[in-house]
Amino acid sequence: MIIDCHGHYTTAPGALARFREAQLARLADPGLPLPSEPEISDDEIRETIEPNQLRIARERGHDLTIFSPRASHMGHHVADQATAAEWARVCNDLVYRVTTLYPGQFAGAAQLPQVAGGPLDACVSELERTVSGLGFVGVNLNPDPSGGFWNSPPLIDEYWFPLYEKLAELAVPAMIHVSTSCNPAFHTLGAHYLNADTTAFMQLASGRLFDRFPTLRLVIPHGGGAVPYHWGRFHGIGYREQYPPIETSVLPNVSFDTCVYHQPGIDLLTSVIPADNILFASEMLGAVRGSNPDGDFPWDDTKRYLDAAKLTDADRDKIFERNARRVYPRLDARLRQQGR
Amino acid sequence: MIIDCHGHYTTAPGALARFREAQLARLADPGLPLPSEPEISDDEIRETIEPNQLRIARERGHDLTIFSPRASHMGHHVADQATAAEWARVCNDLVYRVTTLYPGQFAGAAQLPQVAGGPLDACVSELERTVSGLGFVGVNLNPDPSGGFWNSPPLIDEYWFPLYEKLAELAVPAMIHVSTSCNPAFHTLGAHYLNADTTAFMQLASGRLFDRFPTLRLVIPHGGGAVPYHWGRFHGIGYREQYPPIETSVLPNVSFDTCVYHQPGIDLLTSVIPADNILFASEMLGAVRGSNPDGDFPWDDTKRYLDAAKLTDADRDKIFERNARRVYPRLDARLRQQGR
């Protein structure tokens, strides 16, 4: 089967965005009433999923998507914990409904109520609620909740440890995924996302986080940012700075997804990064939509590139399915319950 | 011939670093005397260049290096214009001496006295001085003088226009190159440098800077950061956001260097980016030094990767020489004067 480990509910019904607008309006004017939860019917969910993510997944032959709220709308830069907690809860509950309407096609990954510089207690609680209560199998962890100002400690800092402890306890991996850029220097999808991937990898490569959390699993999306392209540079820097080898200090715990939207990029990824460390993903519907006018297929049809890549059947099987089952043990359990 | 467009005087005599320390000490304690200029003999320059950059260039068959002060030490985050101006002048004068001691092997590229948020007058003056006065052929332009806090306007903003006007007037290209990261989130060589390359490209791709400055030439180092690896993503984003096509709005004015330290990376770069837009470079002595313990050659021996890449002789000739002569017209003039 084919598991897409990186999909977002970017097509959520308009009521969700209106709820967010009301939240932000109330933050600006505390005299306003607390916004009521968005009223969204099952039919509205079906109407936004079936002709979009579900149609495309079926056309391409993806069997299941690990599905999370829209990453660019997580908005962790909004510095109010109660607002963040409510927003994450509402977004996650909506994703949960997608996973109950289409239990065979979607599994949930949570948005965390991060607040730049804030404590992680609410994140730990929401992680527990979504995993133990809603059956989620993953979570998105934002290494820069400020939204492009990068004032949080590196991922190897003990600031993050309470979350890692809960992730390890629950056997849930985290995808390292930023939200929108509030910094005019960084285009959200074309710079901030990729920079975050590169930055996170280098933070991990410069420490020994996984000595302390040997069962923690992290996924770096968007093909690992610049990392595979500069694989020699990262090895050379690590050697010069006497960091522990990437192969033994990072790769046992870190995977890259395949959200790379052209054949040479996928060919590089699959030739440089061990097959055990690659998870199939499309980011669909994500940064890039529609078809390349120079071709006749969508940019984000990453399965097409993987089908054309020089891979053994065993490695392709790892990338499409086996690695996801290993990295997301709760997904594996869910699939087994479904007889898959 | 083989022109390396990206080398730094990372091996400068210790007196230079001591001068900088004295500068910073005086900033902290204005009661201290103004530091006197570092006294460095020609022999000291020879002793730091010949066994290092020059030896390696000869071994590898590089004929000429466009040489600039150590990028990570530019220190544009230090918010004092007079200090920055003096530091740039001293660093550039030292590079100038390298180019006079070895006029066939080195051509100069300037450090600018940028100060985060400051006006660019001193930069324009130093550019004029180094190009018209010292015969420099290029310059390094820091898109983030804050050192990892990214509080300067994007490169398409009119803040930068006075510098672009002078660059166009002098027919000098700028390499977009950050300095050290003061932000603990960003490893200088493993994250900040690559992020800056990606960020700069996306800034340029989202505007029409070159409509206004049709003769301005910019070089994005380190193989363009994440850009070639994500070439499909950048095209898809541009298409979705209705930016002008990269091929007509960016590529006529922007080149990538070849500081990518493994064969698959160079193969991707040369297969994705038109040969007209690639400039040979090694960054030597740069981020990565020494030999890969899994091989028997240095990581930064980028000529080796280019020799092995699938390129026509005409394209290899462009990458090694012709493009540099086109992008750096003052280098071409200098070489012609030398009968080369």
Side-chain angles (χ1 to χ4, degrees):
Chain A
M1 68 182 296
I2 295 182
I3 299 167
D4 181 342
C5 80
H6 184 182
H8 296 296
Y9 198 0
T10 45
T11 57
L16 185 70
R18 289 194 292 277
F19 171 79
R20 180 60 167 172
E21 285 162 21
Q23 266 201 324
L24 299 179
R26 185 172 184 274
L27 269 183
D29 178 1
L32 291 172
L34 269 173
S36 54
E37 290 202 29
E39 289 186 21
I40 295 172
S41 69
D42 285 355
D43 276 348
E44 281 179 284
I45 294 177
R46 291 190 190 100
E47 286 159 14
T48 56
I49 290 286
E50 291 198 6
N52 294 307
Q53 290 87 350
L54 199 54
R55 171 185 63 79
I56 296 170
R58 282 177 174 145
E59 285 172 5
R60 298 184 189 169
H62 306 179
D63 295 288
L64 181 137
T65 300
I66 299 177
F67 206 53
S68 61
R70 184 173 201 155
S72 64
H73 286 199
M74 294 190 295
H76 296 137
H77 61 280
V78 176
D80 181 74
Q81 184 65 73
T83 302
E86 182 77 349
W87 176 231
R89 188 180 63 74
V90 164
C91 289
N92 290 331
D93 285 354
L94 193 61
V95 163
Y96 170 66
R97 289 177 61 198
V98 174
T99 68
T100 55
L101 286 171
Y102 306 99
Q105 285 77 44
F106 293 98
Q111 169 180 329
L112 292 176
Q114 292 181 246
V115 168
L120 294 175
D121 309 69
C123 295
V124 171
S125 301
E126 183 65 4
L127 179 63
E128 174 81 54
R129 185 185 80 88
T130 51
V131 172
S132 301
L134 308 182
F136 280 24
V137 303
V139 64
N140 291 330
L141 171 59
N142 186 343
D144 171 33
S146 75
F149 299 98
W150 290 94
N151 50 19
S152 287
L155 290 170
I156 56 174
D157 189 274
E158 63 185 15
Y159 167 76
W160 303 100
F161 287 5
L163 199 56
Y164 298 154
E165 281 161 11
K166 180 57 74 174
L167 288 166
E169 176 196 323
L170 294 172
V172 166
M175 178 174 280
I176 307 300
H177 203 308
V178 287
S179 188
T180 197
S181 164
C182 305
N183 187 330
F186 300 130
H187 187 284
T188 295
L189 305 172
H192 189 43
Y193 279 23
L194 301 176
N195 292 350
D197 304 333
T198 309
T199 301
F201 179 82
M202 195 64 223
Q203 291 176 353
L204 297 172
S206 66
R208 292 186 173 273
L209 179 67
F210 302 109
D211 283 359
R212 169 125 183 192
F213 296 101
T215 64
L216 177 65
R217 296 282 183 278
L218 302 178
V219 179
I220 301 185
H222 320 112
V227 173
Y229 176 47
H230 286 283
W231 202 231
R233 183 180 184 93
F234 285 95
H235 279 80
I237 289 173
Y239 190 73
R240 182 178 171 198
E241 304 216 11
Q242 300 187 296
Y243 295 149
I246 292 168
E247 277 67 18
T248 53
S249 76
V250 181
L251 287 188
N253 301 74
V254 172
S255 303
F256 302 101
D257 82 9
T258 65
C259 293
V260 178
Y261 301 141
H262 64 152
Q263 190 68 48
I266 288 289
D267 289 345
L268 177 106
L269 173 68
T270 53
S271 70
V272 166
I273 303 297
D276 285 338
N277 296 86
I278 302 174
L279 297 175
F280 175 69
S282 70
E283 203 183 348
M284 187 257 296
L285 299 172
V288 170
R289 304 179 195 180
S291 286
N292 186 338
D294 296 333
D296 60 350
F297 57 87
W299 271 293
D300 69 355
D301 186 0
T302 51
K303 177 170 175 292
R304 171 185 294 261
Y305 310 129
L306 283 157
D307 285 343
K310 283 184 195 148
L311 286 166
T312 65
D313 287 347
D315 282 351
R316 194 171 277 109
D317 193 39
K318 284 180 179 177
I319 293 170
F320 279 137
E321 176 181 1
R322 307 248 155 253
N323 293 340
R325 284 180 179 263
R326 188 188 76 240
V327 172
Y328 294 80
R330 285 177 179 262
L331 173 66
D332 185 51
R334 183 184 169 98
L335 290 170
R336 287 176 188 275
Q337 272 188 336
Q338 295 171 344
R340 301 161 92 186
Chain B
M1 70 183 293
I2 295 182
I3 298 167
D4 181 343
C5 80
H6 184 181
H8 297 295
Y9 199 1
T10 43
T11 56
L16 186 69
R18 288 193 293 277
F19 172 78
R20 181 60 168 172
E21 284 162 21
Q23 266 202 323
L24 299 180
R26 184 173 184 272
L27 270 183
D29 178 1
L32 291 172
L34 268 174
S36 54
E37 288 202 30
E39 289 185 22
I40 295 171
S41 69
D42 285 355
D43 277 347
E44 281 179 286
I45 294 176
R46 292 189 188 98
E47 286 159 14
T48 55
I49 290 285
E50 292 198 6
N52 294 306
Q53 291 88 348
L54 199 55
R55 171 186 62 81
I56 295 170
R58 283 176 173 146
E59 286 172 3
R60 298 183 189 170
H62 307 178
D63 295 288
L64 181 135
T65 299
I66 300 177
F67 205 53
S68 61
R70 184 174 201 156
S72 64
H73 286 198
M74 294 190 295
H76 296 138
H77 62 279
V78 176
D80 182 73
Q81 184 65 73
T83 302
E86 182 79 350
W87 177 230
R89 188 180 63 74
V90 165
C91 289
N92 290 330
D93 285 353
L94 193 61
V95 163
Y96 171 67
R97 290 176 62 198
V98 175
T99 69
T100 55
L101 286 171
Y102 305 99
Q105 285 76 46
F106 293 98
Q111 168 179 329
L112 292 176
Q114 292 180 246
V115 168
L120 295 175
D121 308 66
C123 295
V124 171
S125 301
E126 182 66 4
L127 179 62
E128 175 81 56
R129 185 184 80 87
T130 51
V131 172
S132 301
L134 308 183
F136 281 25
V137 303
V139 64
N140 292 329
L141 171 59
N142 186 344
D144 171 34
S146 75
F149 299 99
W150 290 93
N151 49 20
S152 287
L155 290 170
I156 56 174
D157 189 275
E158 61 185 16
Y159 167 77
W160 302 100
F161 287 5
L163 199 56
Y164 298 155
E165 280 160 14
K166 181 56 75 177
L167 288 166
E169 177 196 321
L170 295 172
V172 166
M175 178 174 280
I176 307 300
H177 204 309
V178 288
S179 186
T180 196
S181 165
C182 305
N183 186 331
F186 300 130
H187 187 284
T188 295
L189 305 172
H192 189 44
Y193 279 22
L194 302 176
N195 291 350
D197 305 333
T198 309
T199 300
F201 179 84
M202 194 65 222
Q203 292 176 354
L204 298 171
S206 65
R208 291 184 172 277
L209 179 66
F210 303 108
D211 284 358
R212 170 127 184 187
F213 297 100
T215 64
L216 177 65
R217 296 282 182 280
L218 302 178
V219 179
I220 302 186
H222 320 110
V227 173
Y229 176 47
H230 286 283
W231 202 230
R233 183 180 185 93
F234 285 95
H235 280 79
I237 289 173
Y239 190 73
R240 182 178 171 199
E241 304 216 12
Q242 300 187 296
Y243 296 148
I246 291 168
E247 277 67 19
T248 54
S249 75
V250 181
L251 287 188
N253 301 75
V254 172
S255 303
F256 302 102
D257 82 10
T258 65
C259 294
V260 178
Y261 301 138
H262 64 153
Q263 190 68 47
I266 289 289
D267 289 344
L268 178 107
L269 173 68
T270 54
S271 70
V272 166
I273 304 298
D276 285 337
N277 296 87
I278 302 174
L279 298 174
F280 175 67
S282 71
E283 204 183 347
M284 187 259 293
L285 299 172
V288 170
R289 304 180 195 180
S291 287
N292 185 340
D294 296 333
D296 59 351
F297 56 88
W299 272 292
D300 69 355
D301 185 0
T302 51
K303 178 170 175 292
R304 170 185 294 262
Y305 310 130
L306 283 158
D307 286 342
K310 283 183 197 150
L311 286 166
T312 65
D313 287 348
D315 282 350
R316 194 171 277 109
D317 194 39
K318 285 180 179 177
I319 293 170
F320 279 136
E321 175 181 2
R322 307 246 156 254
N323 293 340
R325 284 180 179 263
R326 188 188 76 240
V327 172
Y328 294 80
R330 286 176 178 263
L331 173 66
D332 184 51
R334 184 183 169 98
L335 290 170
R336 286 174 188 277
Q337 274 187 334
Q338 295 172 345
R340 301 161 93 186

